[in-house]
Every structure is written in C-alpha cells, then in structure tokens.
Amino acid sequence: MSIFTAALATGLLLVLLYRVLAAPGRIDGWAGDDFVAAAYGLAPREELDSRRAGPPPPAYRTKERDAVAHAVWEGDWKVAEEYLRAAGEDWDERWSRMELLQQVAGEDDTWLAAWCAESPGDCDAATLHANLTVHRAWDIRGSGYADEILTSVMDRFRVMLTAAIEEARQAALLDPANPGPWVVMVTAARGAGYRRAQFAPLWEGLVARAPHHYEGHWQALQYWCAKWFGSNRRMMRFARRTLRKAPPGSPLAGIYLHALDELDGRSGGGIPDVTLPTRSALKRIAASFDQVTPDNERLPVLRHLLAYHMLRSKLYAPALEQFRLLGPWCGAQPWRAKGNAVLAFEAARGTAATLSRVRPTSAGQTQGAVR
C-alpha cells in the first residue's frame, strides 16, 4: 500500500468513526444485520439492555439498602448511624452509604435533625447534614451558567455553601481521622468561589486521611477543570497524577476518563487528537480495572467510558475487549448521549470489531464484520 493510499484509508476510517460516535442520526446503517456480535464474543444485539450500565447489585445489597432507607424514613436514625459505622475505614464504601442517606434526607430530613440533636458529637451526623446543605444549595442554583441566574439566587447559593463548609469544619473536629467532612469541603469549595490558595489546604486535609478517595478526587477534578478554577492543562495534570497513584483494586484510575470527558465536552465531541500518552494511559487504566473486584458498582460505568475513549483513540482491539466485558448492558452516558443507546452501542461495538482486524470465531460468520 502506498503512502497516499494508506493516508486516504486512515482518513476514511476517521470520518467513519466520527459518524459513528458524533452523529447518531447516521449510525443505523452501521448496526444492521451484517454485524454478528456473537462472532466476536459479544452479547447478541437482541439481548442488549439500555436500562442500566451494568448488572443490578446483588439481592442482599439491595435488600439491605431498602431496609435502611425504610427504617430512617420511619424516623429510626440509629439504623443510619450503624449503617455508616459498619463500613469501618473503607472510606469509599462509607461515602457511598452517606450518599444513600443523603438521598433519603433530601425527601424528609426529620430523622436527621433528630440524630444531630440527640448526638451533637457525632461526626457522621454532622457530615451528612453539611452534605445535604451542599446538595440543597445546588438544587436552588440549578445547572445554568452564572450569568443566567438571578443575583439573589446566587447570593443564597454561596451563603449556603459557606455554611456547609463551616459545618464540615466543625464535623472534622469531632473525628479527626474521618475524611467525610473534607469531601464535603472539597465539594463545596468551587461553588463557594474558593481560590487555589484556599482550596489547597482542603485538598491536603482530605488526602492526608484518605489518599485514594474516589468521590474526593472526582470533586477535585471538577475544581481543576477549565469551567471552574483551573484549565485543561491543570485538569489533565491532576488526572495523570491520580492515574499514577491509583492502587491495585481501586477504580481510582477512572478519574482520568472523566477528565477526557471534560475535554470532549469542550471540543464539541469532534474527532480527538490521538496521542501516544493518551493511548498509554488508556491501556494502563484497562490493566488497573482488571484488578478491581467485578462487583464494584463504579466499574461498569467506567468500562463504558474506557471503551468509548479507546475507540476514539483508535485502540480497536482493546476497545473490543472492554465491550466483551460489558456484556449486554449499554445504558451508559456515552451511548445515551447519541439518542438511541442500543444503536450507538451496537455501532461502536461493530466499529471496534471491524477495525481491530479480529477474525470472527466461525468461518460460517465471516460476514460478521460491519461493512
């Protein structure tokens, strides 16, 4: 193949990939009958399920959560207290439980008020109340740009966040080893308008207590992105540093994928620059995910992002492997954003299979490649 022909072929593939990932109205032809998913070890198209990003949690976990939510809804705050403490120093799990309780309190916080009143020295209760204040502040503000929001609303928003930060500071004094209050402070900092010099001690306080806290890192990534108090360069530097320090068995490496999503959003979803550092990082993330327990509930969402960005970075065979691991679940943001999650997911799988040059498993299915 001549240099000209090779360049032309590469250009056509990029245009094709752009149509699949960025132009949902054009993908139906890519997901037709010619692509036989099973020939590549993938779940058949008729089994694809766009209701979830991954399998539902185990029945025992769902039962436990339902029981806790029902008990606190009925006013038994001691169940909430025990539920959090049972997580011990698994700080990611503890925060996940905190988020469940925050959702319940968002509907009715009578039980939380009773908990705080009867146990004023309880760090978890104070942290939960501060976190609830942060969420309510954002609900009041909404998701619009700052110049679209009434000054009175923004003033109330900032007052609430400042109060939440102060409440979290007091909570931190009740249990100095608990990173929960610091997650609240890191979360509230950008909305409260904290500058870098103000944010730094909050971040240092968090990582001193939980150096690999997933939610804390996600919130810090938001602080460092260009739409808040950072830039693309600062955000990616933070993401690369997070990837390097992600420990075995943790989904923390996935923070890098969220950074790529931020870049993707700022570029309008166009064809990205394919760089060796990005490709290397994606491969490292895949290896890291292989060490995460399969029942980790963050993992499916992150695998969808990994498959999506691998495809955009022309890592077709590694992307195909991620699609195999995902099975029939396709209810994740990269595909929902295209309008029809099933069609977008199927088109992406077909693209990965075809451009990976992986041969179908059966000679009778050699037409299994997308044309």
Side-chain angles (χ1 to χ4, degrees):
M1 181 183 290
S2 68
I3 294 177
F4 173 77
T5 305
L8 179 61
T10 299
L12 289 173
L13 289 179
L14 286 173
V15 171
L16 206 54
L17 186 59
Y18 173 76
R19 289 180 176 178
V20 169
L21 294 177
R26 303 177 183 177
I27 66 176
D28 196 20
W30 269 81
D33 296 334
D34 289 338
F35 173 54
V36 181
Y40 296 92
L42 303 169
R45 181 179 181 181
E46 58 271 18
E47 294 181 8
L48 296 184
D49 191 333
S50 62
R51 293 172 298 176
R52 299 181 56 88
Y60 76 87
R61 194 174 296 168
T62 300
K63 184 177 180 180
E64 179 187 41
R65 290 169 178 168
D66 288 346
V68 169
H70 178 74
V72 297
W73 187 267
E74 293 296 319
D76 190 352
W77 57 264
K78 291 184 178 180
V79 171
E81 178 184 48
E82 178 55 33
Y83 183 56
L84 290 176
R85 290 182 180 175
E89 294 185 2
D90 183 342
W91 299 119
D92 278 342
E93 173 61 22
R94 195 151 175 161
W95 187 260
S96 177
R97 297 183 180 202
M98 182 77 70
E99 289 180 324
L100 171 65
L101 295 172
Q102 178 269 313
Q103 291 174 14
V104 178
E107 298 295 327
D108 182 356
D109 65 351
T110 305
W111 59 273
L112 177 56
W115 184 9
C116 292
E118 295 185 42
S119 297
D122 193 306
C123 175
D124 285 332
T127 300
L128 179 55
H129 191 274
N131 194 41
L132 180 62
T133 301
V134 172
H135 281 268
R136 285 179 170 169
W138 278 102
D139 287 342
I140 290 170
R141 181 195 184 280
S143 58
Y145 291 104
D147 59 3
E148 300 172 342
I149 301 171
L150 293 174
T151 301
S152 59
V153 172
M154 287 298 294
D155 289 344
R156 185 181 177 193
F157 169 69
R158 293 194 178 99
V159 166
M160 291 179 70
L161 290 181
T162 300
I165 290 174
E166 181 56 33
E167 187 173 5
R169 288 188 193 278
Q170 296 304 313
L173 299 176
L174 300 175
D175 183 1
N178 192 330
W182 298 89
V183 177
V184 175
M185 288 185 271
V186 165
T187 301
R190 66 181 186 276
Y194 273 37
R195 298 300 169 181
R196 295 167 191 169
Q198 296 171 290
F199 180 79
L202 303 183
W203 177 246
E204 291 166 2
L206 171 57
V207 296
R209 292 160 176 80
H212 307 123
H213 199 287
Y214 189 95
E215 179 67 16
H217 279 78
W218 190 88
Q219 295 294 344
L221 182 79
Q222 294 302 304
Y223 182 90
W224 289 118
C225 71
K227 64 189 177 187
W228 286 102
F229 294 98
S231 62
N232 290 346
R233 182 178 61 83
R234 289 178 181 275
M235 177 186 69
M236 292 311 300
R237 184 171 64 188
F238 177 84
R240 287 190 294 269
R241 187 166 61 246
T242 301
L243 174 57
R244 287 195 300 269
K245 71 178 184 181
S250 166
L252 189 63
I255 293 296
Y256 186 92
L257 301 172
H258 291 300
L260 293 183
D261 264 8
E262 286 287 341
L263 291 181
D264 191 23
R266 293 185 68 79
S267 68
I271 298 175
D273 293 331
V274 179
T275 67
L276 288 177
T278 298
R279 288 162 64 96
S280 176
L282 293 173
K283 291 176 182 178
R284 182 170 179 173
I285 292 168
S288 178
F289 285 176
D290 287 343
Q291 300 180 70
V292 179
T293 56
D295 66 345
N296 187 294
E297 293 183 56
R298 295 190 189 276
L299 190 56
V301 170
L302 293 173
R303 282 204 189 279
H304 283 287
L305 290 178
L306 179 57
Y308 173 77
H309 287 292
M310 280 182 159
L311 202 54
R312 288 169 63 83
S313 295
K314 300 167 67 174
L315 292 170
Y316 305 120
L320 182 60
E321 178 58 23
Q322 295 304 312
F323 284 121
R324 289 190 182 118
L325 292 168
L326 286 165
W329 309 101
C330 59
Q333 183 59 25
W335 326 119
R336 285 179 172 172
K338 309 306 175 187
N340 185 318
V342 170
L343 284 182
F345 187 71
E346 183 74 341
R349 297 193 310 168
T351 303
T354 301
L355 302 186
S356 70
R357 301 184 183 276
V358 172
R359 294 179 61 83
T361 56
S362 170
Q365 294 175 317
T366 54
Q367 297 302 314
V370 177
R371 293 174 182 172

